[in-house]
């Protein structure tokens, strides 16, 4: 019974980890895109390699935060929140790289996200979500 | 040819990512086995996963040189349609009906984003 107040405090920690994992994941992907663009013309340009190293470091931090988050949050909460990754990457692609976001693209992303959640979270209680699937994001 | 180069790289990233995650599932299922050291584990499915992960990252970067991130990233989600399809076959996993519906949604969504 004395665990109850600790439980709500711990929850916050795991939610923070979840938010961090999404933030780092989005930042990592945007940095990877930047690294890729900088490599056009010169595959091993220093600016590209440096950006890539930073991108992978940030992205790895995101993976670690995701693993931490999953220790204290059910997949049913964690997975829907990853929709923010799609939002962040779409916005970042538009804002930083001037990409056009047509309504077909946005609708397609919505369908993909809905599909990913449905695959990750089976409705039948007997069929537990596979932990390996939970480790793999994006 | 240069118009398709990015898409071939993206396809490779998706395929390798799928194989890698299937290998990881397989490795987690099998466990280390009797008498095998942790390093020896890299010889099996875990090693496959690591190589696939490295290769996927490489092809992902190459694909991003020409393909918009807002297009490529959602399409990467195709892995989550392919993985259940293969794990139901190879790993004897039973999938719920909602999961198969999810697979269909992903495929339709990827087709839309691919043509956007």
């Amino acid at each position: 019974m004395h665990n109850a107040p600790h439980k709500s405090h711990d929850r916050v920690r795991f939610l923070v980890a979840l938010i961090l994992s999404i933030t780092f994941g989005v930042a990592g992907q945007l940095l990877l895109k930047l690294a890729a663009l900088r490599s056009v013309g010169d595959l091993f340009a220093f600016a590209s390699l440096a950006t890539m190293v930073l991108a992978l470091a940030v992205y790895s931090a995101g993976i670690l935060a995701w693993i931490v988050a999953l220790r204290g949050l059910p997949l049913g909460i964690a997975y829907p929140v990853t929709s923010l990754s799609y939002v962040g990457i779409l916005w970042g692609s538009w804002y930083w790289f001037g990409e056009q976001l047509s309504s077909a693209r946005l609708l397609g992303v919505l369908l993909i996200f809905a599909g990913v959640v449905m695959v990750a979270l089976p409705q039948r209680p007997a069929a537990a979500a596979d932990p390996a699937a939970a480790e793999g994001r994006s | 040819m240069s118009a398709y180069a990015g898409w071939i790289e993206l396809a490779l990233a998706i395929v390798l990512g799928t194989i890698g995650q299937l290998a990881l599932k397989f490795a987690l299922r099998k466990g280390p086995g009797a008498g095998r050291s942790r390093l020896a584990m890299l010889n099996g499915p875990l090693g496959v996963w690591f190589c696939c992960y490295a290769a996927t990252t490489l092809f992902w970067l190459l694909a991003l040189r020409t393909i918009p991130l807002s297009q490529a990233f959602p399409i990467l989600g195709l892995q989550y349609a392919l993985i259940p399809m293969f794990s139901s076959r190879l790993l004897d996993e039973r999938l719920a009906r909602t999961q198969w519906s999810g697979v269909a949604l992903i495929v339709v969504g990827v087709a839309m984003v691919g043509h956007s």
Side-chain angles (χ1 to χ4, degrees), chain A residues 48-105:
Chain A
S48 167
L49 291 175
T51 310
M52 187 173 70
V53 169
L54 179 62
L56 291 174
V58 169
Y59 192 75
S60 302
I63 302 273
L64 285 173
W66 173 251
I67 291 173
V68 168
L70 282 190
R71 295 208 170 182
L73 296 172
L75 289 176
I77 289 187
Y79 253 89
V81 177
T82 62
S83 60
L84 293 175
S85 297
Y86 287 91
V87 173
I89 284 175
L90 287 176
W91 178 84
S93 301
W94 168 77
Y95 187 78
W96 297 107
F97 302 115
E99 296 179 12
Q100 305 280 61
L101 304 178
S102 66
S103 40
R105 187 170 295 183

Side-chain angles (χ1 to χ4, degrees), chain B residues 11-46:
Chain B
L12 281 169
I14 290 170
V15 167
L16 287 165
T18 300
I19 293 174
Q21 294 207 51
L22 284 169
L24 183 62
K25 271 197 179 191
F26 189 69
L28 288 175
R29 204 154 294 203
K30 262 182 92 181
R36 284 189 95 186
S37 71
R38 286 218 184 105
L39 204 56
M41 275 178 77
L42 285 175
N43 250 3
L46 215 54

Side-chain angles (χ1 to χ4, degrees), chain B residues 74-96:
Chain B
I75 291 179
L76 201 58
L78 193 57
Q79 288 176 97
Y80 300 106
L82 293 174
I83 289 167
M85 287 198 270
F86 282 106
S87 61
S88 75
R89 261 305 171 82
L90 300 172
L91 298 173
D92 261 330
E93 249 180 40
R94 296 292 243 75
L95 267 70

